[in-house]
Amino acid sequence: MYDFIREETTVRKILKKRKFIEQGQEMGCCYFILSGSAHIYLNNGNEDVFVRKAIKDEILGLMEYLGNQNYPYTVIADEETFIAEINEENINSFISTMPQIANNLLNFFATSIEESNDYLCKSIESESTYTKDESFEVSLDDKILTLINNRKYKMILPQKHELNLYSKDVNCPVCQNKFKANHIKYSRLKVERRTDDFRVIYKDFDDLWYLIWICPYCNYANFHNDFYKLSAKSQKYLHDNLPRYSDGELKTSIKKTINDVIEDYIHLSRIMCDLHETILVKVRLLQSLVWLMGDAGDLQTQLKLKEHLLVALKDFHYNSPIKLNVDEEVKLAIKIAVIISELGEYKEAKDVLLKALQLRGMKKVYRTQIQNVLEKING
């Protein structure tokens, strides 16, 4: 097949780190990657955001070429890469004489049409945002959090939300490989409101979508601000037990649906389960998933997660070795009270808040928040 392509097309050799498609470029042809690989970036006006990795046998720019559109990304060779320039005449020839290439083209079109259809068919009805016939299992036994997700969540993330990201070079503390991770550019975000349980709601963006980094070479995952916080024992355990991918797994760094986000948290839960991590990590995982399930419209799973989150928060409150200051104590009490009230135990929620009000030295903003939550419970 490759000999046929080389004979029928113009083949170019692209050196490592060389750009061969510029963002906004008119596509006079599309490109078939004969060998090597490339990184695809989106420039958000100031910086390049890593989108994904393109690999051998992939076709770049086909839809843009056939639709007379400009290519939306910049593509840079990740290693020495050979590409074939394919025009409309070549495409017709391939379809009639090369079934393998024709199959690649058909798969590409099918995927593109399916993605476009997802956007067109996006529904605001929670009943249609996930596969109800499948389950999402949650357990917290012997302080080990286990999450098993068989559901698919269909909520589409806002288009162009990647403009709020920038790429960072990250060195994995487990396998020592370097990779690109997308980081949130908070200066671009607009705060819309804050919830009683301290969630910050941004306009057309949620920082929960990109809090987790996953190494494509060994699958190590963690919250980005904890990515390097591994004990020597944990680092050795993960180094000895996680898989290895010489070229890095093909991962899309720009999330398209909330399912992509939820899968990151499920993956992180498996890593943390193996390490028997602290209750604080479990609290953060459960709290993030409670919020995400609300966004996805899966109120049944959200309720189960809230029950486990309440257990974890109480465990952290009474058994954590970490010394909390007054404001941290108050915030924790408010979180516990909010969940208790959402589970219908209003008297217990009020008792927690009234007890928190007796703490001295808290900031005025937290005292006001306690009073606001009490008013909602009483109302």
Side-chain angles (χ1 to χ4, degrees):
M1 179 183 78
Y2 299 107
D3 290 340
F4 180 83
I5 294 175
R6 290 175 186 275
E7 291 173 3
E8 295 291 322
T9 66
T10 299
V11 175
R12 291 169 54 194
K13 175 183 176 181
I14 311 296
L15 298 178
K16 183 178 180 180
K17 303 298 182 184
R18 290 290 179 88
K19 184 188 304 180
F20 62 93
I21 303 180
E22 181 81 49
Q23 183 172 323
Q25 169 184 322
E26 291 184 8
M27 299 300 290
C29 62
C30 58
Y31 299 102
F32 182 85
I33 300 179
L34 292 163
S35 65
S37 60
H39 281 175
I40 300 177
Y41 295 90
L42 173 74
N43 188 279
N44 62 15
N46 297 307
E47 296 162 296
D48 288 330
V49 178
F50 177 59
V51 177
R52 64 179 182 85
K53 186 176 182 178
I55 59 173
K56 181 183 175 183
D57 292 345
E58 189 167 342
I59 302 167
L60 299 176
L62 178 60
M63 297 296 284
E64 289 77 15
Y65 168 58
L66 296 179
N68 293 317
Q69 299 172 345
N70 295 344
Y71 196 68
Y73 306 113
T74 292
V75 185
I76 300 174
D78 191 40
E79 56 188 307
E80 183 178 274
T81 300
F82 286 87
I83 60 172
E85 297 182 351
I86 299 176
N87 56 34
E88 192 170 352
E89 183 180 339
N90 299 138
I91 292 172
N92 293 331
S93 174
F94 292 158
I95 290 175
S96 61
T97 59
M98 294 296 292
Q100 185 173 345
I101 299 178
N103 184 61
N104 285 352
L105 291 170
L106 289 172
N107 286 336
F108 181 89
F109 279 121
T111 301
S112 299
I113 291 169
E114 184 178 353
E115 289 176 355
S116 298
N117 187 60
D118 282 341
Y119 280 102
L120 291 172
C121 296
K122 178 183 176 183
S123 170
I124 60 172
E125 296 294 330
S126 63
E127 288 78 11
S128 65
T129 57
Y130 63 92
T131 50
K132 282 191 167 183
D133 53 333
E134 303 294 346
S135 64
F136 192 120
E137 300 172 23
V138 187
S139 64
L140 188 57
D141 299 324
D142 296 325
K143 298 187 178 181
I144 297 176
L145 175 65
T146 303
L147 303 173
I148 302 174
N149 179 30
N150 297 309
R151 289 183 168 171
K152 295 297 181 185
Y153 296 89
K154 305 173 186 177
M155 190 188 95
I156 308 296
L157 304 188
Q159 295 191 53
K160 297 187 178 180
H161 73 268
E162 61 268 22
L163 296 178
N164 298 311
L165 302 171
Y166 67 95
S167 293
K168 291 186 67 170
D169 287 325
V170 177
N171 290 308
C172 177
V174 174
C175 68
Q176 311 307 318
N177 280 302
K178 181 182 288 187
F179 65 97
K180 295 281 186 183
N182 284 332
H183 200 55
I184 302 162
K185 197 166 187 177
Y186 282 95
S187 61
R188 293 180 63 97
L189 302 183
K190 181 180 179 181
V191 176
E192 287 195 332
R193 60 188 174 88
R194 290 176 169 83
T195 63
D196 291 336
D197 55 357
F198 300 99
R199 184 183 185 184
V200 181
I201 307 295
Y202 299 99
K203 180 176 174 58
D204 296 328
F205 192 85
D206 195 328
D207 58 351
L208 292 176
W209 301 340
Y210 291 96
L211 289 183
I212 294 174
W213 288 348
I214 301 177
C215 173
Y217 294 95
C218 70
N219 275 350
Y220 165 61
N222 211 333
F223 290 105
H224 64 75
N225 52 359
D226 291 331
F227 198 74
Y228 297 105
K229 297 177 183 177
L230 278 178
S231 66
K233 181 179 178 181
S234 295
Q235 189 172 344
K236 184 180 186 309
Y237 175 84
L238 293 174
H239 184 273
D240 293 343
N241 289 278
L242 288 179
R244 290 291 182 277
Y245 304 98
S246 58
D247 296 325
E249 279 194 303
L250 182 62
K251 289 184 180 294
T252 300
S253 293
I254 301 298
K255 308 292 193 298
K256 292 187 177 181
T257 71
I258 203 164
N259 199 74
D260 298 335
V261 180
I262 290 170
E263 283 302 309
D264 281 358
Y265 284 87
I266 301 299
H267 178 70
L268 175 57
S269 74
R270 298 189 194 106
I271 300 289
M272 296 300 104
C273 179
D274 287 342
L275 295 179
H276 301 282
E277 275 294 345
T278 65
I279 191 64
L280 182 59
V281 175
K282 296 179 181 67
V283 165
R284 195 173 180 189
L285 259 173
L286 286 165
Q287 178 66 89
S288 299
L289 283 168
V290 163
W291 288 334
L292 287 168
M293 289 302 161
D295 297 342
D298 188 353
L299 303 184
Q300 179 188 29
T301 300
Q302 186 189 45
L303 179 61
K304 289 192 291 186
L305 287 164
K306 280 182 180 179
E307 292 170 348
H308 288 289
L309 174 59
L310 180 58
V311 172
L313 283 170
K314 287 182 175 180
D315 185 15
F316 179 68
H317 186 239
Y318 296 114
N319 301 316
S320 173
I322 301 173
K323 177 67 175 175
L324 301 178
N325 61 37
V326 173
D327 290 333
E328 290 169 337
E329 284 266 7
V330 173
K331 286 179 69 175
L332 185 56
I334 293 173
K335 274 183 171 288
I336 290 173
V338 168
I339 295 175
I340 292 173
S341 67
E342 289 172 345
L343 295 175
E345 300 295 332
Y346 302 113
K347 183 180 183 304
E348 184 183 352
K350 285 193 286 186
D351 289 343
V352 171
L353 292 172
L354 291 172
K355 185 176 180 180
L357 272 176
Q358 298 173 14
L359 293 172
R360 297 191 176 192
M362 77 176 75
K363 291 179 181 176
K364 184 178 179 180
V365 63
Y366 296 132
R367 185 173 295 277
T368 301
Q369 187 157 348
I370 290 176
Q371 292 167 345
N372 290 339
V373 175
L374 278 170
E375 287 178 8
K376 290 180 182 179
I377 293 174
N378 290 328

